[in-house]
Amino acid sequence: MTIRKFVPALALLATACATAEEPVAVRIARAAPAATLQARGETVPVGTANADAADDPAIWRNAADPAASLIVGTDKKAGLYVYGLDGKVRDFNDAGRVNNVDLRDMGAAGIIVVASDRNDIANARLVVFRLDPATAKLATLGSVAAGNGEAYGICLSRRGNALDAFMVVKDGTINQVALDISGGGVSGKIVRTMKLGTQSEGCAVDERSDRLYVAEEDVGLWRFEAAAGGSRTPVKVAPADGRHLVADAEGVAIAPVGERGGYVIVSSQGDNAYTLYSLEDDSYVGRFRIAAGIVGATEETDGIDLVTGDFGPAYPGGLFIAQDGFNDAGAQNFKLVAWDDVKKALGL
């Protein structure tokens, strides 16, 4: 997250174009209309209060007992939380400065959770855990070197029994790391490196099309071929144009529909919204905001995640989670939204 500072009106008048220093109300007024919906739940706030701390969620869906699904979320000052769908803390791992997180159910190998480790800002690392679905506990498997620079974004891609991690370094470098979790620990190697021009973070992989989507914060949304042997040249999906996508472009999530269709969702942090683009042709689909209701609204969202499917009575069609940068409780948390509510609001 980029912390925005409001500046005096005279300074704004001296600026010839829209900037990240504008009050959020100005950015909202300029942006395209957004549908409004409400979250159905929220997590307990992270332990680091009065700071930019909560950052990124990852969802594990329990197919056998959907209401027993779990959420992993980062406190980037302290470590990783595991929450139930009721928002209560089930576990905490004091992994330190872990920024983003993703997970994959690898079958016999277990539920593998990978976080971007920025404890050493000069050397990016991946820290790898196994999540026990019965106890909701995280067991540390080890860490893997992931290139030079400050670890920032992370997303995973599974191909059969193979697991790749995409480490997005703060300067826009993207290192693809092939992970080996076949033994008792974990190892890995960088198999490909790609590059965007400026600070980047959020990413997600559509495993059906083998496409990697990455948000370059002040520039827009890009996609790459995700296969290790694929092209390293990015294709721009959408610019951060101040209308459909307002900088910073932050978290990224995939909403699959059928064999090839669906949406890529991006946190339009600059105007507290979320923007959808088509996975088939990159076209703009719509936008929404999360307003106050039984729980608070979301603002300045960093990480997001979405998993479709049954999550029990409250989330029967899927679960969307967004980090809330200004939670009323004083410490940041994560808001839980029914994917059905998003689809209804946007007429999907």
Side-chain angles (χ1 to χ4, degrees), residues 85-141:
L85 294 188
D86 60 1
K88 295 179 180 179
V89 176
R90 301 286 304 278
D91 189 33
F92 175 72
N93 187 295
D94 58 351
R97 288 163 49 86
V98 287
N99 198 59
N100 279 194
V101 65
D102 201 3
L103 61 82
R104 287 293 186 275
D105 192 330
M106 298 299 295
I111 303 163
I112 302 301
V113 177
V114 183
S116 54
D117 183 347
R118 63 195 294 201
N119 285 291
D120 177 357
I121 62 173
N123 296 287
R125 298 192 69 85
L126 301 167
V127 59
V128 184
F129 309 84
R130 181 177 285 114
L131 174 63
D132 185 333
T135 64
K137 302 297 183 183
L138 287 167
T140 304
L141 298 182

Side-chain angles (χ1 to χ4, degrees), residues 269-290:
Q269 189 187 83
D271 73 321
N272 303 331
Y274 310 90
T275 306
L276 279 70
Y277 299 95
S278 169
L279 289 171
E280 295 184 274
D281 62 9
D282 300 338
S283 61
Y284 168 72
V285 174
R287 317 171 77 242
F288 68 95
R289 292 192 179 92
I290 301 170

